[in-house]
Amino acid sequence: MTAYPERLTIFGCGNMAGAMLRGWLADGMDPASVTVITPNGTKVPDAIHTLKSVPADMPSADMLLIGIKPYMLADLAKDIAPLTGPDTILVSILAGVDVATTRGFFPDSGPIVRAMPNMAVSISKSPIGIFSEALDKAQHDMVDGMMAALGSAEWLDKEELIHLIIAVSGSGPAYLFRFIDALAKGVADLGLPKIQADRLALAMVEGAAALAAKSGENPGVLADQVASPGGTTRQALNVFDDGAALDRLVHRAAKAAYERSIEMESEARE
């Protein structure tokens, strides 16, 4: 069973932090152990203690998850700081804000953990890149278990690898959603009713992803295995493979996300 902190405080409960909270609750976390501070009044799951501001007598958290928009950190740090103490594990999911910058805002906090999930945390299917300051074994095991409850935890040796995590798994769901939409549009343009095309494209991707995850085989090898010489699949793959068109397009997209992540981090330091 996943070990959770006795006092988990979440400051800012937008889409991602809210999805993480729902994932943890589904895993069995006690709602009574959670306090959510949401200055803008964002709706949170029932039975969760919710505040709009930090009371003067509120104790520091065992774990503090910061889930605000990155650009808000400078303005809200003074409100968040009282929630931290030397025994607080501070978990940040703020894209473009590195550990050193976070430490500058919260010098008295315990270890800082930077985590990069995607929205699939709500169904426990998100890959999560994690980089942290030094954690003792109990702290590491707790963070690892909580992240594993939301998907698959990938610990990083170098913080700069976070930019690549963002490019592949952080932004990746949107790439796939666009592909599903494009595939449905492609066959709808050829005559299949759009509503059927949407259903079929989505069901195909769901099944293919499950097959790829179960097989353990390289996805490129799987593609060749289902493409018979001279058949329909091979004919379609020839279009993707011509001049490495698909590889080059995806590389450009991932590189754009990667470079923007680096830019955001630089902007946050200014």
Side-chain angles (χ1 to χ4, degrees), residues 11-266:
F11 193 102
C13 199
N15 290 337
M16 186 63 72
M20 295 174 75
L21 175 57
R22 291 191 295 276
W24 286 327
L25 291 172
D27 184 59
M29 182 179 66
D30 182 3
S33 68
V34 184
T35 298
V36 170
I37 300 168
T38 171
N40 61 3
T42 303
K43 182 174 175 56
V44 301
D46 294 339
I48 298 297
H49 184 217
T50 307
L51 302 168
K52 284 195 172 183
S53 60
V54 180
D57 59 350
M58 188 169 179
S60 60
D62 295 322
M63 180 179 288
L64 171 65
L65 173 66
I66 301 179
I68 59 178
K69 299 294 186 184
Y71 70 86
M72 301 170 66
L73 181 60
D75 290 334
L76 292 176
K78 63 182 183 300
D79 298 322
I80 300 171
L83 299 171
T84 67
D87 296 323
T88 303
I89 301 173
L90 191 159
V91 180
S92 169
I93 56 172
L94 278 59
V97 182
D98 63 13
V99 168
T101 300
T102 304
R103 173 56 69 190
F105 285 115
F106 308 107
D108 299 325
S109 177
I112 294 173
V113 177
R114 187 177 180 188
M116 283 294 117
N118 68 37
M119 288 300 293
V121 291
S122 62
I123 57 170
S124 301
K125 292 292 185 181
S126 172
I128 306 172
I130 311 167
F131 177 81
S132 76
E133 296 178 329
L135 300 169
D136 64 31
K137 185 178 187 306
Q139 292 170 331
H140 183 281
D141 289 349
M142 177 178 288
V143 172
D144 187 66
M146 290 177 68
M147 297 304 167
L150 303 177
S152 55
E154 295 284 346
W155 289 83
L156 306 174
D157 295 330
K158 300 177 182 178
E159 186 174 9
E160 55 264 33
L161 294 175
I162 284 281
H163 302 301
L164 295 173
I165 295 295
I166 290 171
V168 63
S169 59
S171 301
Y175 311 161
L176 187 57
F177 298 156
R178 278 292 179 87
F179 178 80
I180 295 169
D181 188 48
L183 180 59
K185 286 177 179 175
V187 294
D189 288 345
L190 295 172
L192 190 67
K194 183 63 165 57
I195 192 168
Q196 285 186 311
D198 286 339
R199 287 199 302 265
L200 287 167
L202 181 59
M204 179 281 299
V205 170
E206 182 180 19
L211 280 173
K214 185 176 181 180
S215 74
E217 189 64 85
N218 179 279
V221 172
L222 289 176
D224 287 332
Q225 287 177 351
V226 299
S228 303
T232 59
T233 305
R234 173 51 60 192
Q235 199 72 8
L237 290 183
N238 286 343
V239 176
F240 291 146
D241 296 342
D242 184 22
L246 182 60
D247 288 349
R248 290 188 293 107
L249 178 63
V250 173
H251 174 79
R252 284 174 52 206
K255 187 170 183 283
Y258 167 73
E259 291 177 344
R260 179 56 187 147
S261 178
I262 294 173
E263 289 173 356
M264 290 173 63
E265 199 166 280
S266 178

